[in-house]
Amino acid sequence: RKEVEQDPGPFNVPEGATVAFNCTYSNSASQSFFWYRQDCRKEPKLLMSVYSSGNEDGRFTAQLNRASQYISLLIRDSKLSDSATYLCVVICYNNNDMRFGAGTRLTVKP
Amino acid sequence: GAVVSQHPSRVICKSGTSVKIECRSLDFQATTMFWYRQFPKQSLMLMATSNEGSKATYEQGVEKDKFLINHASLTLSTLTVTSAHPEDSSFYICSARGGTVGSPLHFGNGTRLTVT
């Protein structure tokens, strides 16, 4: 079993749709969680951190469920510019462990 | 602005030569840096974890003698692709993070290596 698993995608959605991605992790000692966005032929860029209480940034909402060991990303009112690959990153600082998902490809169509 | 600088952004070299890629954290000390490789239309693949002042930890299947990593200071890690071959052509990316809980990863802008 992979240490971090993501919805494989691809997700093809129309503009304005709401789309959600999940990411499960196996290391229960994981301490910090992040969502990154990677555009084609570019490096990943931090989209948002994920907090236990859940957090929202505009159209994006991230949630963490420690009991079930997963994080989620919800995108509302999808824009064409949201088309990208979304990566989850899970870090345990105590043992310097960093794992990431394989990424979920999202394509938003007109 | 960028907090991790990677250089060069693009390099073309001949088969058999070595290429060095630098990764610098600009405004924080990075005790740990990571190196990745990404082939076209594929997922990011972790190659190794670079720890300042100690040997790098390589992922399974990554040749440590071919991909030399040096993390001599808290702000600089280098990856040297030795005796490069066309199959080493790829997008190489580094990332670094601070030492405190909650510190995110910051990625360099990547190096596109083409070996002819």
Side-chain angles (χ1 to χ4, degrees):
Chain A
R1 177 170 173 244
K2 292 182 183 177
E3 297 197 29
V4 176
E5 295 202 48
Q6 268 189 259
D7 286 351
F11 286 69
N12 298 306
V13 302
E15 269 187 294
T18 295
V19 61
F21 308 137
N22 287 328
C23 187
T24 59
Y25 60 94
S26 61
N27 183 1
S28 59
S30 298
Q31 297 163 291
S32 294
F33 310 86
F34 307 93
W35 282 103
Y36 286 78
R37 170 197 170 123
Q38 184 177 25
D39 292 292
C40 188
R41 298 171 71 85
K42 296 284 183 67
E43 77 278 16
K45 292 188 184 294
L46 181 64
L47 180 63
M48 57 198 304
S49 303
V50 187
Y51 303 119
S52 298
S53 55
N55 49 302
E56 190 174 302
D57 182 2
R59 299 181 292 108
F60 299 85
T61 300
Q63 291 196 310
L64 165 65
N65 185 316
R66 284 192 183 273
S68 301
Q69 294 184 195
Y70 75 85
I71 62 172
S72 63
L73 177 68
L74 181 78
I75 305 175
R76 291 181 299 278
D77 189 22
S78 300
K79 310 292 184 190
L80 297 177
S81 57
D82 294 334
S83 298
T85 296
Y86 292 83
L87 290 166
C88 59
V89 173
V90 177
I91 300 178
C92 178
Y93 298 87
N94 294 345
N95 61 0
N96 207 23
D97 186 67
M98 183 281 299
R99 298 292 162 183
F100 53 95
T104 301
R105 174 76 188 150
L106 170 67
T107 301
V108 181
K109 299 187 174 181
Chain B
V3 295
V4 173
S5 173
Q6 190 173 338
H7 179 79
S9 58
R10 186 180 294 271
V11 60
I12 300 172
C13 70
K14 292 186 177 181
S15 187
T17 60
S18 294
V19 175
K20 180 186 280 188
I21 303 169
E22 292 187 349
C23 182
R24 295 181 184 272
S25 57
L26 298 181
D27 56 5
F28 66 98
Q29 293 184 333
T31 54
T32 303
M33 291 185 175
F34 303 93
W35 287 96
Y36 314 78
R37 181 169 52 181
Q38 188 171 34
F39 294 106
K41 298 187 179 181
Q42 293 191 21
S43 304
L44 209 58
M45 287 176 47
L46 181 64
M47 298 175 68
T49 301
S50 169
N51 300 297
E52 187 267 336
S54 64
K55 290 183 179 179
T57 304
Y58 290 82
E59 295 296 300
Q60 193 172 10
V62 178
E63 299 174 60
K64 62 180 181 181
D65 294 329
K66 179 168 183 64
F67 299 99
L68 301 178
I69 291 173
N70 184 288
H71 194 158
S73 77
L74 287 171
T75 59
L76 174 64
S77 176
T78 61
L79 168 68
T80 300
V81 183
T82 63
S83 187
H85 288 96
E87 57 265 30
D88 297 324
S89 299
S90 186
F91 190 45
Y92 292 86
I93 311 174
C94 70
S95 72
R97 62 167 179 81
T100 57
V101 175
S103 301
L105 286 178
H106 297 285
F107 287 84
N109 54 309
T111 298
R112 195 159 300 283
L113 171 64
T114 303
V115 185
T116 60

